[in-house]
Amino acid sequence: AQSVTQLGSHVSVSEGALVLLRCNYSSSVPPYLFWYVQYPNQGLQLLLKYTSAATLVKGINGFEAEFKKSETSFHLTKPSAHMSDAAEYFCAVSDSGSSNTGKLIFGQGTTLQVKP
Amino acid sequence: DAMVIQNPRYQVTQFGKPVTLSCSQTLNHNVMYWYQQKSSQAPKLLFHYYDKDFNNEADTPDNFQSRRPNTSFCFLDIRSPGLGDAAMYLCATSRAGGYTDTQYFGPGTRLTVL
């Protein structure tokens, strides 16, 4: 079975500092990985996705993630945090172990706090 | 703008009183999903429709049902809500349901059970 683990349920950074949100996956097949952001009382918005093309994936709002097979990781980074980045971030893997339904398996989420 | 719309945004119901949540989409996507997200937890898939084909997750309680009368609309029915069903319910769509397809989420309906 596939799964993702997000290390750190809360991350706090200062405005302008590097953002690093960690995600590790477990999969017996090549994974398809996603990062979503959720602002309070809103739905999820796709930041970026890895679909086995380039290992460094660039997303919206200055975020990027690097797929590292040797480390089974897909960490999300942003060079300089902005106050508007404060939100909940979810890493997810597409469940390719079952039929082609596009089912997403989410990690537990990481709350990003940005301090002025 | 093409989008996924959920109504209502907030729903309060009483223990055991049936409730229906609505989702509509203007994306003309084939697949519609319903996720349940409890407080401080990850979203969990309840079921999805590929066109008119209904696919229930194995661990979705029988209390939860869904209808998709046409491409644009999908409903989540909770027959007898319990206190444990209080959650945010997220509707999502994707074009074809493939492994790499992006899912587009609505803003969610927050359900409170009194």
Side-chain angles (χ1 to χ4, degrees):
Chain A
Q2 294 168 293
S3 65
V4 290
T5 302
Q6 293 182 239
L7 300 175
S9 58
H10 288 84
V11 170
S12 181
V13 300
S14 298
E15 191 174 20
L18 171 71
V19 175
L20 171 60
L21 305 182
R22 300 177 187 273
C23 174
N24 288 89
Y25 69 89
S26 173
S27 178
S28 58
V29 298
Y32 300 108
L33 296 159
F34 303 77
W35 274 101
Y36 280 86
V37 61
Q38 185 177 34
Y39 297 100
N41 291 315
Q42 293 189 27
L44 281 70
Q45 180 183 13
L46 180 71
L47 282 175
L48 48 81
K49 63 181 180 182
Y50 168 74
T51 59
S52 75
T55 56
L56 182 62
V57 182
K58 294 188 183 298
I60 63 171
N61 300 341
F63 284 94
E64 63 182 35
E66 186 172 8
F67 175 76
K68 292 186 177 180
K69 184 178 179 180
S70 61
E71 299 177 7
T72 62
S73 68
F74 189 56
H75 301 332
L76 182 71
T77 60
K78 182 174 180 177
S80 178
H82 192 272
M83 296 297 290
S84 61
D85 295 326
E88 185 87 10
Y89 291 80
F90 289 96
C91 181
V93 62
S94 184
D95 185 11
S96 55
S98 58
S99 60
N100 190 6
T101 64
K103 173 182 177 179
L104 290 176
I105 299 169
F106 288 90
Q108 287 300 105
T110 298
T111 301
L112 176 65
Q113 179 187 26
V114 182
K115 298 176 292 185
Chain B
D1 287 342
M3 56 183 11
V4 181
I5 301 162
Q6 291 188 243
N7 286 306
R9 293 292 311 277
Y10 300 89
Q11 176 73 58
V12 180
T13 191
Q14 293 180 331
F15 183 94
K17 185 175 181 180
V19 65
T20 294
L21 309 182
S22 170
C23 177
S24 64
Q25 54 126 342
T26 61
L27 297 160
N28 203 34
H29 282 173
N30 290 315
V31 190
M32 296 187 77
Y33 306 84
W34 279 105
Y35 288 86
Q36 179 191 60
Q37 185 181 21
K38 294 188 176 181
S39 182
S40 301
Q41 295 186 22
K44 181 175 176 297
L45 184 64
L46 295 172
F47 28 59
H48 77 277
Y49 274 94
Y50 189 106
D51 197 11
K52 291 187 179 297
D53 293 333
F54 177 71
N55 297 272
N56 199 31
E57 292 298 301
D59 55 355
T60 297
D62 293 339
N63 199 25
F64 290 84
Q65 297 179 335
S66 185
R67 296 170 284 135
R68 190 179 185 185
N70 54 52
T71 300
S72 301
F73 283 87
C74 194
F75 300 98
L76 169 62
D77 300 309
I78 309 177
R79 288 191 296 182
S80 182
L83 297 179
D85 297 327
M88 175 78 88
Y89 290 89
L90 297 166
C91 175
T93 73
S94 72
R95 185 180 55 82
Y99 301 136
T100 62
D101 269 10
T102 296
Q103 291 188 23
Y104 296 85
F105 284 80
T109 295
R110 184 169 296 282
L111 177 68
T112 300
V113 182
L114 301 178

